[in-house]
Amino acid sequence: MKVAVVGSTGMVGQVMLKVLEERNFPVTELIPVASEKSIGKKVKYKQEEYTIVSINDAIAAKPDIAIFSAGGSTSLEFAPKFAEAGITVIDNSSAWRMDPTKKLVVPEINSNVLTAEDKIIANPNCSTIQLVMVLGPLNKKYDLKRVVVSTYQSVTGTGKAAVDQLNSEIKGDDSVAKVYPYQIFKNALPHCDVFSDDDYTKEEIKLMKEPKKILGDDTFNLTATAVRVPVQGGHSESVNIEFENEFDLDEVRKILSETPGVIVIDDVKNNRYPMPLDSEGKDEVFVGRIRRDLSQPKTLNLWIVADNLRKGAATNAVQIAEYLVSKNLV
């Protein structure tokens, strides 16, 4: 199993290498790819060093799978070239997510849509992944009507430069280039990604569109507000869900507890609830603060937390690769 990791020196790319190793993915040959300036440098995988190659050399090497985390423009240009060479691409950018000819996959929710013909597979947005891990099983049981989500997103979602900005501001150092339009330390910015013409950010639009595609259901409404907070790892979401059908709280907890990849932490008497600090380095999605909305019927409030670099990006991509291998689709 030859595997190329495109964007292997980036924040998500590095986590991808770590997850491939931790999950003992059957890599017989690793092909690390990065930008021109990194060609010839080394990356470490399973205590061995591998030389970074160009993207064209990676295509020529004919890997079985190429996992991309190198930005949308790179994916748009090169993913089709890999696909034409018969290589299966799992792409972490937003380039292909809403393309009607491409599958958008969270393995625990909709891996069954994948076939051997799918040569470019889209990995969803980090905030979307943790949201649908909860919405999926609840939709099957109670039928979603409307979802309102507010996110509290880690600076790692923006990348290394954003982490550097936060850490420099904590130290009182203003010399580091600012990624955000304002200070992030001791602050919260209701501004994730760029604003579109309708005054929603791109991140909010992804959250409003992607879950419908993954769940194969466009009968429910979804609205979002995405906020960047001074947290270094892990995204949190406050979610209000209105159902078509009545629900029982104990049954909701049972359904979520039995969902693969979901862990319920919901014991407010003992101050137990999910926090981003607890999610760092973990692959599961954590859910708590499960309670009825007292303002209207058939409506639920809950709190969702996950490591945005792992389940929100790298782990989900590797899980897609694992599914493809297990079903002999590559």
Side-chain angles (χ1 to χ4, degrees):
M1 182 65 57
K2 291 166 76 170
V3 177
V5 176
V6 181
S8 57
T9 58
M11 193 169 264
V12 173
Q14 285 288 295
V15 178
M16 280 176 176
L17 293 174
K18 192 176 177 184
V19 171
L20 284 165
E21 182 173 338
E22 286 175 0
R23 295 176 75 90
N24 207 23
F25 189 79
V27 179
T28 54
E29 184 182 336
L30 178 72
I31 305 163
V33 182
S35 61
E36 291 289 326
K37 65 182 180 187
S38 295
I39 293 169
K41 293 180 181 176
K42 307 281 187 182
V43 294
K44 211 167 188 184
Y45 176 72
K46 287 195 172 180
Q47 306 305 313
E48 287 186 41
E49 288 195 328
Y50 291 81
T51 304
I52 293 168
V53 301
S54 73
I55 201 159
N56 287 313
D57 284 347
I59 296 169
K62 290 283 180 76
D64 300 282
I65 293 172
I67 306 178
F68 272 61
S69 189
S73 57
T74 301
S75 295
L76 285 170
E77 182 180 354
F78 288 101
K81 294 179 180 178
F82 277 78
E84 283 162 21
I87 302 156
T88 300
V89 172
I90 301 166
D91 180 48
N92 193 51
S93 80
S94 60
W96 305 100
R97 289 176 188 157
M98 296 312 297
D99 184 324
T101 67
K102 306 292 184 287
K103 308 286 174 58
L104 184 63
V105 176
V106 176
E108 296 92 336
I109 304 300
N110 69 330
S111 56
N112 60 305
V113 301
L114 291 171
T115 69
E117 283 68 53
D118 294 310
K119 288 300 174 191
I120 299 176
I121 301 162
N123 205 36
N125 179 48
C126 47
S127 302
T128 300
I129 291 172
Q130 66 189 74
L131 180 63
V132 298
M133 286 285 287
V134 171
L135 294 185
L138 296 181
N139 188 36
K140 279 184 182 173
K141 181 67 180 178
Y142 307 116
D143 194 5
L144 295 172
K145 183 176 181 181
R146 183 170 187 255
V147 179
V148 181
V149 55
S150 298
T151 70
Y152 304 74
Q153 296 184 214
S154 152
V155 294
T156 54
T158 311
K160 184 182 180 298
V163 176
D164 291 343
Q165 179 182 335
L166 173 60
N167 287 332
S168 68
E169 287 172 353
I170 290 169
K171 294 172 188 166
D173 176 7
D174 282 335
S175 64
V176 174
K178 287 206 182 313
V179 178
Y180 302 120
Y182 300 99
Q183 174 181 315
I184 185 65
F185 179 50
K186 293 185 177 178
N187 205 5
L189 306 180
H191 181 181
C192 294
D193 213 322
V194 298
F195 285 100
S196 61
D197 293 340
D198 58 9
D199 293 341
Y200 281 82
T201 63
K202 275 175 71 177
E203 184 79 6
E204 290 160 352
I205 293 165
K206 291 172 197 173
L207 267 167
M208 293 189 288
K209 289 183 174 179
E210 292 178 18
K212 295 182 177 187
K213 181 173 179 178
I214 296 163
L215 299 179
D217 182 357
D218 61 3
T219 63
F220 66 96
N221 294 314
L222 198 156
T223 189
T225 301
V227 181
R228 190 74 61 190
V229 293
V231 168
Q232 191 152 318
H235 287 353
S236 305
E237 297 173 344
S238 170
V239 188
N240 179 269
I241 311 166
E242 183 181 1
F243 297 108
E244 295 285 359
N245 302 310
E246 190 50 82
F247 61 86
D248 175 77
L249 281 176
D250 288 336
E251 188 178 47
V252 167
R253 291 187 184 96
K254 185 172 187 289
I255 289 167
L256 293 175
S257 296
E258 291 173 354
T259 301
V262 173
I263 293 176
V264 174
I265 303 174
D266 192 33
D267 179 10
V268 293
K269 289 185 178 67
N270 292 298
N271 294 337
R272 295 196 70 241
Y273 33 73
M275 295 177 290
L277 203 58
D278 300 327
S279 75
E280 266 195 282
K282 298 187 175 76
D283 291 327
E284 294 82 12
V285 172
F286 301 88
V287 190
R289 297 299 321 279
I290 300 166
R291 63 210 189 275
R292 201 172 277 280
D293 180 344
L294 302 179
S295 72
Q296 65 174 10
K298 301 178 188 173
T299 305
L300 182 72
N301 283 312
L302 45 74
W303 175 254
I304 307 170
V305 176
D307 185 320
N308 54 293
L309 297 181
R310 291 185 67 101
K311 183 55 180 171
T315 302
N316 199 75
V318 173
Q319 286 176 311
I320 293 171
E322 288 172 342
Y323 179 84
L324 295 172
V325 170
S326 72
K327 299 296 181 183
N328 296 313
L329 300 177
V330 289

